[in-house]
Amino acid sequence: MMDLWSGSVFCQNCLPAPLWTGVYRTLTHGGGKTLFYLLIIWTLFVSGNCKYSSDECDWKGAGLSDESSMRSVKNLYLQCTRGRITWRYPSGAIHIALQYSPKGTEFRVCLKPSLTNRGANIYTEVAQQLQLLIADQNSATNLNQEKNSQETHCFHSINGKAAIFIEAMPNILASKLVTEFEYSLDPLVQEVEQDPLSDCRPCNDTELIRAFCSSDFVIKSQMREVAHDKFSKESFIDLGVSHVFRQRDEVFRPAKHSRYSGVVVTPLKCGVRQGEGHFLMTGSIVLGRARLGCAPRFSQFRRIAKEMTERGLNDCDLSAIIMG
């Protein structure tokens, strides 16, 4: 039997109508665990006559207007640590298999729907059973459910594997709906195998240069306020940003009293405190939040940038720092 996780599969209109109709009806009545699993096996069995997609981090697709698309399941296989799924006028269903590299690594999956996410229920598949993770906002029964559908939702892999099942909801306005969310995968490392403060140590010169050249965001900023949240075990640093060298997503926005403003997040265990002066802050942008990486004082990084450039050890152009 073909391994559910052994290939990058994009199969469309591969299921016989009676099988999908039975699964769909059972799902809408709260069941469908066993039938759903059979559905996936059958889809992969017949996928030899279907098209395969490239292994990309972001996927964009659209439901079809014909009747057959309402009985089809698209299968995606992703090995990226983060990306975005965009499904316009959803119809039918999508099964997404996720795996962290190296194979067998246990990981946490987090999903964050866009503000305009509509048109489908999103389930997680755990032990061959479907559990509702994010309800379609059009069918939300109360304000709390609609509010929760816009928050970040997380679950853990089992035996190094995780899957998401997206089921389009019948809607006469489906042509105007978009199901869209970001996903991120983070490895689960046992504390005994990892230095508990490894995320808090200062970056060395080489790491600083690499961070400037490759991070999702690089900014020159001042701390305005630091807040600690014991529940989430995170610290939030409110920043006034005087210069944005790079940002993959617009998390730092124009402000009145400084050129830009924004918030970066760091683990509470690092014990960050508010400091005076300008800092060069770098890091990653995950699910719309800026996670702090390296953050030297700006004057320190300018000195390092000049020295590394003179020695030919710069990974990218640092003239904006040296001359700025």
Side-chain angles (χ1 to χ4, degrees), residues 157-173:
S157 65
I158 297 180
N159 297 325
K161 301 172 184 178
I164 303 167
F165 185 76
I166 311 173
E167 176 197 13
M169 294 288 95
N171 195 307
I172 60 174
L173 300 177

Side-chain angles (χ1 to χ4, degrees), residues 164-222:
I164 303 167
F165 185 76
I166 311 173
E167 176 197 13
M169 294 288 95
N171 195 307
I172 60 174
L173 300 177
S175 61
K176 299 182 180 180
L177 302 178
V178 178
T179 299
E180 184 176 47
F181 60 87
E182 294 178 81
Y183 70 88
S184 71
L185 277 58
D186 291 299
L188 297 175
V189 181
Q190 296 181 4
E191 292 295 330
V192 294
E193 299 177 355
Q194 182 184 32
D195 179 359
L197 296 179
S198 60
D199 296 333
C200 308
R201 66 172 180 82
C203 299
N204 60 38
D205 292 359
T206 301
E207 291 169 334
L208 288 173
I209 297 299
R210 186 181 301 119
F212 177 85
C213 297
S214 61
S215 294
D216 290 343
F217 71 88
V218 181
I219 58 174
K220 180 182 179 181
S221 61
Q222 290 179 292

Side-chain angles (χ1 to χ4, degrees), residues 138-149:
N138 285 334
S139 60
T141 57
N142 56 63
L143 293 178
N144 289 333
Q145 186 175 355
E146 182 170 353
K147 178 182 178 181
N148 291 338
S149 66

